[in-house]
Amino acid sequence: MDRSSSPPPNPFSNSPSSSPIPTPPATHASRSTSPNPALPPSSIASPSPSHLRKPSSLISAASGSPPPTHRASFPDPSKQPKSGLTIGGPKAKEGYCCERDKEISLGEEIHIVDAYKTTEGGKASYITYVIQLGTHTTRRRYSAFLSLHQALTGLYPVLIIPPIPSKQSIADYAVKGQSKAKEDATVIARRKRLLEDFLRRLIRHPILGGEHVLHRFLEDGVSWSEVLHSPPISQLPRNPLHAPSHNPTFQPSSPTSDAPSTSTSYIAHHLLPTPSPTHPLRHPEQRFMDSEIFTEKFQNHFTGTMEKVNRRVTKRWGERAQDMSELGAVWNGFSLVEQGKLGLAVEKVGQAVDAEFLATAALLQAWERTTTEPLHIYTQFAGLIRSRLSFRHQKHVQYELVQEALETQKDKLELLENAEREARRLEDALERGGSGLTSPPVRSPEEERERLERARARSAGQGFGLLSAVKHSLSGMMDVDPEATRRANIGKTRDNISQLEDSLQASAQDLKYASTTLQADLDRFQRQKVADLRNLAIQLSKVHREWCKQNLEAWQAAQAAVREIDDHPNQPLPPAQPVQPESLSLPPSASTASASAPGSGASYGLGHGIGSGSMSMGGMRAEIEQVEAANKPLPLPDRSEQELNQGTQVLLREDDNDDDDDEDDSPFVEQGKGKKKETTTESQSHGPLGPL
């Protein structure tokens, strides 16, 4: 059967009579086909037949540089197919494809240096981000970053593409309004950091850093819309499961290509089934099962635990900063009321509280950059890895489904061939006069029944909508011309088997490439994750250390100002040793007076001693201070020397009057008690001798 003249049957259709194969577009060129540099530009633009015409988007009108003729990728691990089926992949990269590729290879850093609002190219305003790579700059908006991420995801379906910041939610637009939400300075600064992280991860990737689409994104003066409508992005299939994993943009050069292998490869991939991501596998690989389980736990831990706790902690730090701001204002207001050293100390305390508020605000900003954003990035990474593992799972399911379908078609062909051989044997026997009718059949009825049941079971387990092979055989036998129907079914089944073999070979290549490439990128991501989480912990500790350092300096200054304040007058003196009673050496006159006057108090004896002049004024004050230190009374205010002299004269007069009275006279005792009471009251109001 000539496949170039009539399309082959589709083994995954709902009936043996296959539906037409989707014809590849004639205007698309193969990814691995490069324009002929020997042809002048006029020959490219000149009219030509549709199957020879080059796409007009091969030459970019904005940059003047052609699209890539090769792409960086992992080496294709697939083996050479036995049927000569070859799938053209990207050519091996040699040298630098452009100036941006050279700068990236030399290790130039990439930064987003600015973000501003503009209305260039439209009426509505939008935010433009200025990207700097080495000495070159370019400007891109957020939608360009998003389309770049989608393009790289389609070009590399088994690589882990770094995430970009998500779009704003509807709640943000509802609360702030569309214009204010887009121009929010906090959102713009956060996007600026996350987009810069996205570009840094891209250029450091061993494969994505060599993609020419990324180089054109970083090239100034290139229309990004032109790049999106040029190969290879314009050649991406709608369903990546119907394209080779290592070259999703593979297409035959024309529908009537002279090379049957390219057309066969294209058809073989487009006839592959589209299984569900949850379809079970008969023979799963343990390493990818473990990767799926670990990734799910990783995502749940980051999304449900770490991010939730981190949001709660930062919220409480923000509330604490607000409280410190209010407390600092109160202390600063209180410092205006006081004066002197106390006012200065209160002001220093207020400044320390304000410094703690500023340090906490700086802590929250650094926390956002060093902890919150990396946690969110790795939460997105977990989702991207799960999607890549799901894609590889679907490729494995494709291989198993095609393998089952091939086994079913082979069993069906064997049944039809047995029936054809039996029919021919009967015809030959009838032509010889029935001499061959007694010959034994090729298979016993029990064996035929078992094969029939097995074919029914396999056909029932298929998800392609295939009808049972036995039903087609019976319908062919019940036809008007059963022999012609049976022979037609045999031909169709053989074509289906041939197509399934091609699809099985293509599916095996895709599965092997997807498994090898995804495992290599998972290993690279694991090393990167360990380094990033280590850096996250170090940066978080540095942020807290800086916060503690700033607070310590501010509060030490406040402590020094507080220590300069004078002691309070009512503050107790330092504890001293108690004074023994015998250590108080009273003068003889005071002792005699005390013994001669049994009812007299301590003040009387002391006054008598002072009156006799046997105790000097300085010694008396020293004794009084010792007694006060022993009893620990509150210190009384100091009096002037004149007040002390007045009190001494009063005591001397009273002492002279007491010496003239009789010691045994009871009226004298009563009168003396009255005198002592009056003197004590007067002493308490005039000097420190009152308590004695």
Side-chain angles (χ1 to χ4, degrees):
M1 182 181 296
D2 188 7
R3 296 187 182 182
S4 61
S5 59
S6 61
N10 187 355
F12 304 108
S13 60
N14 294 329
S15 64
S17 58
S18 61
S19 58
I21 301 298
T23 305
T27 58
H28 285 184
S30 174
R31 178 71 185 274
S32 60
T33 304
S34 59
N36 188 359
L39 295 177
S42 59
S43 63
I44 298 178
S46 60
S48 60
S50 60
H51 65 280
L52 297 177
R53 184 183 303 125
K54 301 290 182 182
S56 59
S57 59
L58 281 178
I59 303 299
S60 174
S63 63
S65 61
T69 58
H70 56 269
R71 189 159 44 86
S73 65
F74 290 106
D76 187 5
S78 61
K79 298 180 180 179
Q80 186 70 16
K82 60 182 180 180
S83 60
L85 179 66
T86 57
I87 302 175
K91 297 180 181 179
K93 186 175 180 180
E94 298 178 359
Y96 304 119
C97 61
C98 61
E99 187 66 24
R100 300 296 178 273
D101 189 15
K102 183 177 180 181
E103 292 177 349
I104 292 175
S105 301
L106 294 177
E108 292 288 348
E109 290 292 334
I110 191 169
H111 303 280
I112 297 182
V113 296
D114 194 11
Y116 60 92
K117 183 174 69 173
T118 183
T119 57
E120 182 180 355
K123 297 181 180 179
S125 61
Y126 58 90
I127 303 300
T128 297
Y129 300 91
V130 181
I131 307 168
Q132 181 178 3
L133 176 63
T135 58
H136 300 86
T137 59
T138 185
R139 297 173 299 169
R140 301 295 180 192
R141 57 188 301 181
Y142 173 78
S143 59
F145 284 91
L146 183 61
S147 58
L148 173 64
H149 185 273
Q150 295 173 351
L152 294 177
T153 302
L155 291 173
Y156 299 93
V158 289
L159 289 183
I160 303 173
I161 310 298
I164 64 171
S166 56
K167 294 183 177 180
Q168 292 187 0
S169 61
I170 300 178
D172 295 335
Y173 286 109
V175 174
K176 303 177 183 178
Q178 184 175 2
S179 60
K180 292 184 178 179
K182 289 183 177 180
E183 300 172 5
D184 190 356
T186 304
V187 175
I188 293 174
R190 183 173 180 271
R191 273 191 176 180
K192 179 181 174 183
R193 293 191 299 269
L194 293 179
L195 291 176
E196 181 176 322
D197 181 81
F198 166 67
L199 294 177
R200 285 182 177 177
R201 293 180 185 272
L202 283 181
I203 65 174
R204 292 173 183 174
H205 195 281
I207 306 303
L208 301 176
E211 174 57 53
H212 191 61
V213 173
L214 173 62
H215 304 158
R216 301 186 75 187
F217 179 84
L218 301 175
E219 187 176 352
D220 191 20
V222 173
S223 173
W224 182 243
S225 177
E226 182 75 17
V227 175
L228 293 178
H229 294 85
S230 303
I233 301 178
S234 62
Q235 296 176 347
L236 288 173
R238 294 183 178 179
N239 191 348
L241 293 173
H242 293 164
S245 301
H246 66 285
N247 188 18
T249 59
F250 167 74
Q251 294 180 7
S253 56
S254 66
T256 59
S257 175
D258 296 335
S261 60
T262 57
S263 300
T264 304
S265 304
Y266 181 84
I267 295 172
H269 282 89
H270 276 265
L271 293 181
L272 290 174
T274 306
S276 170
T278 59
H279 194 286
L281 288 170
R282 292 189 302 172
H283 305 288
E285 293 190 31
Q286 187 63 35
R287 56 174 180 171
F288 289 104
M289 290 180 60
D290 297 339
S291 297
E292 291 175 359
I293 295 173
F294 175 78
T295 304
E296 184 177 0
K297 291 181 179 179
F298 177 75
Q299 185 178 18
N300 294 335
H301 181 73
F302 268 78
T303 305
T305 305
M306 292 193 69
E307 277 200 316
K308 183 185 298 183
V309 173
N310 184 72
R311 285 195 299 267
R312 186 167 65 246
V313 171
T314 53
K315 178 182 177 182
R316 291 177 179 176
W317 274 99
E319 294 174 352
R320 186 178 187 275
Q322 184 65 27
D323 294 341
M324 297 303 291
S325 175
E326 297 177 1
L327 181 62
V330 173
W331 276 98
N332 292 328
F334 182 46
S335 66
L336 301 177
V337 179
E338 299 293 338
Q339 295 180 356
K341 295 181 179 180
L342 178 61
L344 180 61
V346 172
E347 183 181 1
K348 288 293 183 181
V349 172
Q351 292 177 358
V353 175
D354 289 339
E356 185 172 348
F357 159 69
L358 296 176
T360 306
L363 169 70
L364 289 174
Q365 293 179 358
W367 196 314
E368 176 76 15
R369 295 191 303 269
T370 61
T371 305
T372 304
E373 292 176 1
L375 288 179
H376 181 66
I377 289 174
Y378 271 91
T379 301
Q380 293 178 299
F381 260 124
L384 293 173
I385 293 174
R386 292 190 65 181
S387 66
R388 292 300 181 265
L389 290 171
S390 177
F391 177 82
R392 187 258 162 207
H393 176 87
Q394 289 177 291
K395 282 292 183 180
H396 196 172
V397 173
Q398 276 185 336
Y399 175 76
E400 290 189 348
L401 292 179
V402 173
Q403 197 174 26
E404 292 178 5
L406 181 59
E407 293 176 359
T408 303
Q409 291 294 321
K410 287 182 177 180
D411 291 342
K412 175 184 175 182
L413 179 62
E414 188 175 356
L415 288 175
L416 293 175
E417 288 178 347
N418 290 338
E420 181 66 19
R421 285 195 298 268
E422 183 67 18
R424 289 181 179 179
R425 187 183 65 81
L426 292 176
E427 289 179 1
D428 294 341
L430 290 176
E431 290 178 357
R432 291 193 300 267
S435 59
L437 292 177
T438 59
S439 60
V442 178
R443 290 181 182 273
S444 63
E446 291 78 8
E447 294 178 353
E448 292 294 337
R449 192 178 299 109
E450 291 178 0
R451 293 183 59 80
L452 179 62
E453 294 296 334
R454 187 167 63 254
R456 286 178 178 176
R458 289 180 178 176
S459 300
Q462 300 300 319
F464 314 130
L466 298 177
L467 297 179
S468 176
V470 179
K471 290 183 179 180
H472 295 300
S473 300
L474 294 177
S475 63
M477 293 179 182
M478 295 172 60
D479 202 353
V480 179
D481 191 357
E483 295 182 359
T485 303
R486 183 172 60 251
R487 290 169 184 171
N489 287 337
I490 289 175
K492 292 177 182 179
T493 304
R494 287 175 178 172
D495 290 338
N496 288 343
I497 290 175
S498 177
Q499 185 61 58
L500 283 171
E501 288 178 348
D502 294 340
S503 297
L504 182 65
Q505 184 65 37
S507 179
Q509 292 178 5
D510 288 349
L511 177 60
K512 187 173 183 180
Y513 176 80
S515 301
T516 306
T517 305
L518 182 57
Q519 186 62 47
D521 213 26
L522 284 174
D523 295 340
R524 180 201 60 82
F525 172 77
Q526 179 66 21
R527 295 189 297 269
Q528 175 186 343
K529 182 186 70 174
V530 171
D532 288 346
L533 293 182
R534 176 181 178 273
N535 185 61
L536 183 149
I538 292 175
Q539 293 298 327
L540 185 60
S541 63
K542 288 183 178 179
V543 166
H544 280 82
R545 184 181 66 181
E546 185 65 25
W547 178 82
C548 295
K549 181 179 178 181
Q550 294 179 6
N551 290 335
L552 180 62
E553 294 175 356
W555 284 106
Q556 283 178 346
Q559 183 185 27
V562 170
R563 288 178 176 175
E564 294 295 329
I565 303 176
D566 296 333
D567 294 336
H568 196 275
N570 291 335
Q571 183 177 1
L573 295 174
Q577 294 295 332
V579 181
Q580 299 297 331
E582 56 270 10
S583 63
L584 297 176
S585 57
L586 296 176
S589 59
S591 301
T592 305
S594 177
S596 61
S600 62
S603 62
Y604 173 77
L606 185 61
H608 183 76
I610 295 174
S612 62
S614 62
M615 189 175 187
S616 64
M617 195 66 186
M620 182 185 67
R621 291 180 63 87
E623 294 294 336
I624 291 174
E625 289 178 358
Q626 290 181 359
V627 173
E628 289 179 350
N631 297 329
K632 297 182 180 179
L634 291 175
L636 298 177
D638 298 336
R639 299 294 184 180
S640 63
E641 188 69 22
Q642 183 178 2
E643 292 178 349
L644 290 175
N645 294 333
Q646 293 177 359
T648 304
Q649 293 175 3
V650 172
L651 290 176
L652 290 175
R653 288 196 301 271
E654 291 178 356
D655 189 57
D656 293 338
N657 294 331
D658 291 341
D659 290 340
D660 297 336
D661 295 337
D662 187 10
E663 185 179 8
D664 297 333
D665 193 0
S666 61
F668 164 76
V669 174
E670 296 296 329
Q671 186 179 2
K673 291 182 179 179
K675 289 287 182 179
K676 286 189 289 182
K677 184 175 181 181
E678 182 180 357
T679 305
T680 302
T681 305
E682 185 178 358
S683 301
Q684 289 177 354
S685 61
H686 292 284
L689 302 178
L692 299 177

